[in-house]
Amino acid sequence: MDDLRLAWKNLWRNRRRTLITLAAIAVSITLMQAAHNLSFGVYASMIDRGVRAGSGHLSIYRQGYLQDRDPKLGFNPQNLAAEISRLAGVESVLPRLYLPGLAQSSRDSRGILLTGTAPVEEYRINPFLRKLPATQMIREGNLRDALVGQRLFEELKLSFGGKFVVTLQGQEGELASELLRVRGIFTSGIKDIDRSLVLVDQHRAATMRGRPQQIHELAIILKPQADERWLLDQIGRLLKNHPQLILVGWQEAMANLADAIRLDYAAQKFIFLIIILIVTIGVINTLLMSVMERIPEFGVILALGAPSWRLQRMLLTEALLLGVIGMLLGSFGGSLATWYLRIEGLDLRYFVSSSLEFGGVVFDPIMRADWDLRWMLKMAFYVCGLALLAAWYPARKAGKISPAGAMRHY
Amino acid sequence: MALIELSGIEKIYPLGHQQVQAVQQLDLRIDKGEFTVLAGPSGSGKTTILNLIGALDRPTAGEITVAGVALNRVSSRQLADFRLRKIGFIFQAYNLIPVLTAAENAEFPLMLQGIDKKIRRRKVIELFAELGIAGLENRRPLDLSGGQQQRVAVARSLVAEPAVILADEPTANLDSQRSADLLNLMQRLNQDKGLTFVFSSHDPQVIQCARRVVSLLDGRLLTDQQVQQCTI
């Protein structure tokens, strides 16, 4: 307690210097926490959009399909979808087929990706389709309804209710053509998707492929608080009777998105490292200056009978106080910034005119933060620990002072 | 057995490529309760001898025993403990810690000993009253006069009840009246409590006041005189 009081008093010897150092520590923590939480929120939103429109948090494929995307590698899900749906934490299970083909209107033709899905569930889950009016939804049982990407719609010069023909290769290599009607159009914001995607009922697509019961992907959407590890284990057990099937996480199924996030966060970590380095140098500077200024006084303290470790402890306590106060102030600032960025967000619409695509996923131009309390705590304690580590050299220097030599500085 | 015993002491300081012999072949015995001054001009070795007795420095050669502790044979940590419990220091420039109050400065050695705050504060209040600085407990050193600061330094040297009080030019920064007051105070403590004082000084007023004057020149003992009465 005495050491703490003494350290506190020593800290305020040079009020301005201490305040500047505290500000450096606090601002760095605030910046890192706010930047991380903003990324955390944006990544979470991107992943959520990505998995709902894409592979799901977890997905099941036939072995080899992910690598080759060979339409022949389908599988019959039998009761799997129903069994997985019953597991705790599963929000939805979406069967999908992906078939490359050609779409022809009376005016033009384009290469497309015909996607077969369960329309009702897809509308509920897929963020691209949520805003569609009911009049544009694929009707259950109506196997000619198709949703067409905005660009494809324009390029084929189609109209609502207009007809177009889709031709694709069946399982045995034969060509299969089908007449479809435009039920609605959608805009994902991703040019390639808007230019090529045609969404139909899964049964229509499967029939065209010549395997009415088969799909290519079973996309599993999880609830926000789901225990992913437990689910992996449970679904893995269900797949024991299906040796030809594999279960993968979204990171593997949507490697582009996972890599893009990893790369972006690595860049951010590098910036964090620079911030931490600057703060550490600042703390070393403050404590070293404070040691150099007080050498004669340290001589007196040693002369009065303090062992050198007591001096070192005194300096480390000063650093600890700096770190703890900086950590508290910084975390308060970081929380405030996160709260603001979560409610108001960072609006990028003023800077970018078109939609923002990242890792094959469109994200909201109003970037919103989300709380990552564990990381915030970890980073705050990390910086506090660094302040303590930064005191090591000045403390070591103070520990080597000889009392008689130090007092000659008076 | 003498309280302080120096035998064959030599101290050499390196100064660049040269070596300076600060103390040469010094033998000195000081008994408990003595009021001794080490007199001599600048560079005569007074402060070096005080530093050696106070375990702030180690001799190049020779043996030093203070209060039964052979200072040559103990570790740095033991020397620190020796200073804490056996030695009281009074410095020329008072050397109070500026961020602490007068009372906190005075109780600093007790704080290092880990003594409870209430006990040490009670002791310091008694000492301040005895030294004529009662009521100044909560003042910072910068708010005190030179004389008051030196009395706080005296309180700090006495608070742990050391075996020896070493004072390096204690009156050098004081005017003659305050010097006389301080010397009277120390004499009183020496006579009433039997405290052992060793001073270094070239101030005639201090030298006249001592009961034993050890004169030094160029690191050698010149004379060692006993004086019956303080002439101040």
Side-chain angles (χ1 to χ4, degrees), chain A residues 69-90:
Chain A
R69 296 280 172 182
D70 181 356
K72 290 179 181 169
L73 295 173
F75 66 95
N76 186 343
Q78 298 167 353
N79 296 327
L80 262 180
E83 285 171 355
I84 293 170
S85 298
R86 282 197 287 273
L87 293 173
V90 173

Side-chain angles (χ1 to χ4, degrees), chain A residues 102-153:
Chain A
L102 183 76
Q104 289 169 284
S105 68
S106 56
R107 313 278 286 275
D108 216 332
S109 63
R110 287 285 183 277
I112 59 153
L113 183 70
L114 185 77
T115 302
T117 187
V120 176
E121 201 59 4
E122 190 75 43
Y123 277 116
R124 192 172 72 81
I125 297 297
N126 195 325
F128 301 146
L129 310 182
R130 262 187 224 151
K131 288 178 188 166
L132 279 180
T135 52
Q136 290 194 33
M137 289 183 180
I138 297 171
R139 290 164 293 187
E140 253 183 306
N142 191 321
L143 298 182
R144 296 207 185 277
D145 281 355
L147 274 182
V148 180
Q150 171 81 43
R151 277 175 178 261
L152 183 66
F153 180 81

Side-chain angles (χ1 to χ4, degrees), chain B residues 163-222:
Chain B
V164 187
I165 292 164
L166 304 174
D168 189 12
E169 309 263 8
T171 58
N173 287 355
L174 299 176
D175 59 36
S176 58
Q177 183 54 49
R178 290 205 170 98
S179 295
D181 289 345
L182 182 70
L183 288 168
N184 280 332
L185 171 71
M186 290 177 174
Q187 269 186 330
R188 185 160 54 81
L189 291 167
N190 170 250
Q191 283 159 10
D192 295 352
K193 297 187 172 180
L195 287 171
T196 308
F197 279 87
V198 182
F199 295 88
S200 74
S201 185
H202 54 248
D203 179 355
Q205 196 180 7
V206 178
I207 295 167
Q208 281 169 7
C209 179
R211 280 194 278 134
R212 182 180 173 189
V213 179
V214 176
S215 297
L216 300 159
L217 186 68
D218 297 333
R220 290 176 195 274
L221 189 116
L222 211 59

Side-chain angles (χ1 to χ4, degrees), chain A residues 89-104:
Chain A
V90 173
E91 184 182 339
S92 179
V93 181
L94 291 166
R96 289 190 185 126
L97 279 103
Y98 300 105
L99 302 168
L102 183 76
Q104 289 169 284

